[in-house]
Amino acid sequence: MTKIISGFSKFTKQEKINWIASTFFTHGDEAISILQKYWNDDQGLQQLHDEFIENTVSNFYVPYGVAPNFIINGKTYAIPMAVEESSVVAAASLVAKFWSSRGGFNATVISTTKIGQVHFMYEGDFTELNAYFQDVRSELFRATETITKNMRKRGGGILNMELRNKSDKLDNYYQIHVTFETKDSMGANFINSCLEAIAHRFKKEGIEIVMSILSNYIPECLVRAEVSCTLDELGDNGAEFARKFQQAVQIANVEPHRAVTHNKGIMNGIDAVVLATGNDFRAIEAGAHAFAAKNGQYQSLTHCEIHNNVFKFWIEIPLALGTVGGLTALHPLAKLSLELLQKPSAKELMQIVAVAGLAQNFAALRALVTTGIQEGHMKMHLQNILNQLGASENEKQQLIMYFNKRPVSHSGVVEAFEKMKSQKI
Ligand code: MEV
């Protein structure tokens, strides 16, 4: 049977499911039943989700958890996190509590400038191109006036436009580099609409527009979050712990293999809040990793200093986030997340998200330089293994108690489960 199909998007949801089931599954009924199990009984809510994308056939659940006790700039937050990895919310909660009695987190937004570019080809003389650009520059601003009207009322809009000569990198390549302030919105649609209007007005014979698109690399939309305390406040072996912790950060700064994993741990916290608040985690990921490589080598996004008996640990990361527009009002859980965060501005959300990343990195490094991560990780994963084995609630409770004081490994759990089944433990 052919697996190529035309007009799939025109099928009803049921027809799509039936086609998938009969084309790709030997047990089609089972596939249909799983897809349908995740439909929401609330028709309105289901329709909303159906319409977010094309060809929706089901919903894909990710757990939505909350990490309480975060003190950021003196204000207390319970942070919503949407994530499937078992230890992330637990780690965030532990670290939030730890720092809540050591002054909490401090965060500052350093800058909020977003970037977009019109990329074009031009074979002529640069001086002439520049003269033309200077000539039409105010016209280019005018071409965006209807699009920027509301944004300007909110204090945002286009900040600057400049012609950049990139022909040393690629023959005949130039760009109009545009900077934006988008206030509380992430601004992707706004920026792209402005760029397309600019490109339309700019084009003429000899100028070939290639594309107009925002950049997800926004090193000047930057936030810093920090914790600090005396070495004594870090616990019994505070000085020793701080020294090893700092070494771990230094290793991530000089060794890209470690840096990628180190930053992945940071993104565990960041993506979870970004997703829970209806923001674009792929944009955040791409921008964060580009920033981590800004010095020509991929490095740690966090930094650590020990000075005069004070341990200081901080992150600087570019984050393009919105608290209005996009999914933020449309997705009921994203809306609820923002309410839970006490309706933050985009700047406040940047601070919260940066803190979530810093906290996650603190948790990972603390575990790595002391007990190792597997102890905590496997304890959290125990539930998943028990679910995979089909353990009943009663069996789960008994085995969780059994492993309370024992190391958890997949084979160890299977063995204990089998023993229990044969009444040996
Ligand atoms: C696992 O998801 C994240 C860690 O590997 C991060 C790290 O190694 O720093 C624990």
Side-chain angles (χ1 to χ4, degrees), residues 266-275 284 315 317 319 353-354 356-357:
I266 295 171
M267 302 317 284
N268 277 345
I270 291 194
D271 285 352
V273 191
V274 171
L275 188 56
I284 297 297
I315 185 169
I317 185 166
L319 293 172
V353 171

Side-chain angles (χ1 to χ4, degrees), residues 322-354:
T323 53
V324 298
L327 271 200
T328 56
L330 212 54
H331 194 301
L333 270 175
K335 196 166 168 223
L336 182 138
S337 294
L338 291 168
E339 269 171 42
L340 174 63
L341 292 171
Q342 302 155 71
K343 302 199 173 152
S345 63
K347 279 183 168 180
E348 208 179 332
L349 186 60
M350 285 168 79
Q351 296 173 347
I352 296 166
V353 171

Side-chain angles (χ1 to χ4, degrees), residues 85 87-88 258 261-266 268 360-361 364-365 368 373 377:
E85 191 171 324
S87 53
V88 171
R258 173 56 202 151
T261 318
H262 176 100
N263 289 345
K264 187 273 181 188
I266 295 171
N268 277 345
Q360 207 59 222
N361 191 223
L365 297 188
L368 284 167
I373 58 151
H377 197 80

Side-chain angles (χ1 to χ4, degrees), residues 54 179 260 306 320 414:
E54 189 162 281
T179 49
V260 171
I306 304 167
V414 174

Side-chain angles (χ1 to χ4, degrees), residues 96-288:
K97 196 75 183 285
F98 179 87
W99 285 105
S100 69
S101 57
R102 291 162 180 82
F105 293 81
N106 283 310
T108 338
V109 171
I110 297 168
S111 48
T112 56
T113 303
K114 313 261 170 63
I115 292 169
Q117 296 164 323
V118 175
H119 305 269
F120 66 94
M121 297 295 175
Y122 170 75
E123 287 188 15
D125 175 55
F126 178 66
T127 324
E128 270 174 38
L129 177 68
N130 194 29
Y132 170 65
F133 174 72
Q134 298 308 336
D135 229 33
V136 292
R137 197 169 177 277
S138 51
E139 278 294 308
L140 299 181
F141 274 97
R142 210 160 302 135
T144 64
E145 266 174 5
T146 49
I147 306 165
T148 59
K149 193 165 165 227
N150 284 336
M151 188 63 86
R152 278 185 282 123
K153 275 193 205 143
R154 285 160 36 204
I158 297 177
L159 301 174
N160 196 19
M161 242 186 252
E162 61 184 46
L163 177 66
R164 291 195 172 174
N165 185 345
K166 295 277 170 176
S167 59
D168 59 329
K169 301 250 186 313
L170 178 67
D171 282 350
N172 309 323
Y173 170 39
Y174 299 85
Q175 58 184 224
I176 305 177
H177 183 93
V178 191
T179 49
F180 298 86
E181 168 57 57
T182 62
K183 304 306 278 186
D184 282 332
S185 64
M186 190 256 188
N189 279 332
F190 169 74
I191 293 173
N192 289 334
S193 299
C194 287
L195 293 170
E196 286 185 10
I198 291 168
H200 186 73
R201 174 64 192 82
F202 187 65
K203 75 170 172 235
K204 69 163 187 163
E205 188 143 358
I207 290 177
E208 188 192 355
I209 305 287
V210 180
M211 58 191 162
S212 310
I213 187 75
L214 93 168
S215 171
N216 289 124
Y217 182 46
I218 34 143
E220 277 167 24
C221 186
L222 201 62
V223 57
R224 176 188 164 108
E226 177 185 309
V227 284
S228 68
C229 69
T230 63
L231 296 180
D232 290 347
E233 286 176 296
L234 285 173
D236 284 346
N237 292 321
E240 169 69 3
F241 166 74
R243 197 178 55 79
K244 283 190 83 179
F245 190 100
Q246 187 182 32
Q247 283 168 348
V249 177
Q250 286 166 341
I251 290 170
N253 251 333
V254 299
E255 168 52 54
H257 282 97
R258 173 56 202 151
V260 171
T261 318
H262 176 100
N263 289 345
K264 187 273 181 188
I266 295 171
M267 302 317 284
N268 277 345
I270 291 194
D271 285 352
V273 191
V274 171
L275 188 56
T277 54
N279 275 280
D280 180 346
F281 62 91
R282 286 87 55 211
I284 297 297
E285 281 278 342

